[in-house]
Each structure stands twice: as structure tokens, then as C-alpha cells.
Amino acid sequence: MHTLVGSIRDGIRQAAQNISAQVIDPGYKSTESINNKIARKQKAGQADYDFYALKDHARAAMVLRDLSDVPAAVEALKKHFPGITGEVFLEEPLNKSGYRGIHLTVPLGNGINGEIQLTTKQAWEIKKQTDAIYGRWRNAALDQLSSEQKVKRKNDYAESARLWEAYYSGIAPEVKRMASDSVMGLASQSSLHNDVDLDQTPLLNSNTSKPS
């Protein structure tokens, strides 16, 4: 795993230099985090979800000056990771905590995937705040919570969703559209690449440095 993390580190650092972005160095998910995620997915009905279904065995982030830099970041990363694909959660949240963002998936070989989050300094600060909320409740069994805990959970998630909505609603629609289009265009390009080659939580366990 260390070797694979090194491969994504080198590629993202080189790509970041071309667009004056900062890099949150990659690390890999702990065994506990992986097991918890698999258990959550299976409990939610994805019975076939296993170790190789994860898209984020290794994780990193590229901190951009603003969201308008996303197309340039995607182009720079494509040069280092030809099989890269992506998902966009800007207009609609990913989960009940309201999280929004852009995730790119890099196949690292042997069924291992690396995730690169494209973010901004402001969004990264919101992520750190809301990760604490998500981490507090993500493994909690709803039927085992007291009435007071259920109210607290609901209010926490509402506050998390408010923070994300407030940030992304302040970004011009055309900027979000250009960012989304550049990422979603990777899917078809990746399919063409794969046809030829035939052979994708809190980030880094929350042990990350703050962008300056």
C-alpha cells in the first residue's frame, strides 16, 4: 500500500505545480475504517460491497484557488492518471450530512483505488467542521439512540447541510457547471482507455495539515 500511495503522491504533486494548487498529501484508510465502511454499505443493502469496491483505499486532496480552476486541475491530472474518473456533488449533497464536493478516482493497480478530492480553502475548512459531525453519528445505530440523541443527530446534520449549502450557493452557476462538465466528461474517456488496456470519511483519517 505504501508504494501505491507514493505513486498517487508523485502524480498529484506534479499536476498541482502546473496550476498553483496546494496538495494535502495522501495516506491510506485504516483497517478499522475500511471494515466500518464495508459494514455500513452492506447494512444499507449493498450485500456485494467488499474491499475491492472501495474507491478511496488511498486519499488525497488538491486545494484550488477557487472552483473555476477545476477544469485545469482535471486536465493536469489526466496527464498523470489516464484512467481517472470522477463524481460531482455540487448541486445535490452526497449524504444526509449535506456533504458536497468533487471526487476523482485513480486506479492504482491490484484492485486498489486512490481518491483525489478537488476542493478550495474555504470548502476544506467546512469539511473539517462537518467531518466532526459526520464522524460522531455515522456508525450510530438509530434504533439504539435515545430521544435526546436523535434530536441532537438531526440538528447536527441540519447544521452540516446548512454550511455546505451556504458555501456552494454563493458560487456562480456557470462556474459550477463548467467544473461539473469537466469531471463528468472523464467517464467516457476512461471507458475508451479501459477498453484498450483491459487491466477507482474524514480524509486520511483526519490526520491532515491545514492549507495555508
Side-chain angles (χ1 to χ4, degrees), residues 150-167:
K150 289 179 180 178
V151 171
K152 173 63 174 172
R153 176 179 178 271
K154 180 180 179 180
N155 291 340
D156 279 355
Y157 278 156
E159 173 61 11
S160 177
R162 184 193 68 78
L163 290 170
W164 285 115
E165 170 65 20
Y167 174 68

Side-chain angles (χ1 to χ4, degrees), residues 41-50:
K41 295 290 188 179
Q42 292 181 347
K43 186 176 181 180
Q46 299 183 42
D48 58 348
Y49 195 95
D50 60 13

Side-chain angles (χ1 to χ4, degrees), residues 3-186:
T3 301
L4 297 177
V5 169
S7 69
I8 193 174
R9 177 186 295 118
D10 293 343
I12 190 174
R13 283 180 175 176
Q14 292 177 41
Q17 289 177 356
N18 297 332
I19 57 171
S20 301
Q22 295 177 271
V23 174
I24 304 297
D25 273 345
Y28 52 86
K29 293 177 82 75
S30 67
T31 300
E32 179 182 8
S33 181
I34 289 173
N35 289 338
N36 286 339
K37 185 169 187 175
I38 292 172
R40 287 197 306 273
K41 295 290 188 179
Q42 292 181 347
K43 186 176 181 180
Q46 299 183 42
D48 58 348
Y49 195 95
D50 60 13
F51 177 84
Y52 296 104
L54 271 73
K55 297 181 180 179
D56 58 351
H57 298 95
R59 305 181 75 183
M62 181 180 284
V63 184
L64 309 175
R65 290 170 296 190
D66 57 60
L67 208 66
S68 65
D69 283 344
V70 169
V74 170
E75 287 301 313
L77 288 165
K78 279 166 53 179
K79 296 176 182 178
H80 299 280
F81 307 110
I84 194 169
T85 57
E87 297 177 289
V88 180
F89 312 101
L90 298 184
E91 298 296 343
E92 296 294 334
L94 171 64
N95 53 33
K96 64 186 69 177
S97 68
Y99 171 77
R100 303 188 188 211
I102 297 174
H103 295 181
L104 304 181
T105 301
V106 179
L108 299 176
N110 299 318
I112 304 299
N113 294 307
E115 179 183 273
I116 301 173
Q117 295 186 13
L118 299 184
T119 187
T120 65
K121 185 176 180 179
Q122 298 92 328
W124 185 254
E125 290 302 315
I126 294 172
K127 184 180 188 306
K128 290 195 294 185
Q129 294 179 58
T130 57
D131 272 352
I133 294 173
Y134 183 62
R136 185 181 305 141
W137 299 110
R138 64 177 173 175
N139 293 319
L142 191 58
D143 59 354
Q144 296 179 14
L145 297 180
S146 66
S147 298
E148 292 78 8
Q149 288 174 318
K150 289 179 180 178
V151 171
K152 173 63 174 172
R153 176 179 178 271
K154 180 180 179 180
N155 291 340
D156 279 355
Y157 278 156
E159 173 61 11
S160 177
R162 184 193 68 78
L163 290 170
W164 285 115
E165 170 65 20
Y167 174 68
Y168 280 106
S169 65
I171 297 175
E174 60 268 24
V175 172
K176 289 186 284 189
R177 183 170 58 251
M178 289 177 63
S180 297
D181 289 348
S182 66
V183 174
M184 299 312 294
L186 292 170

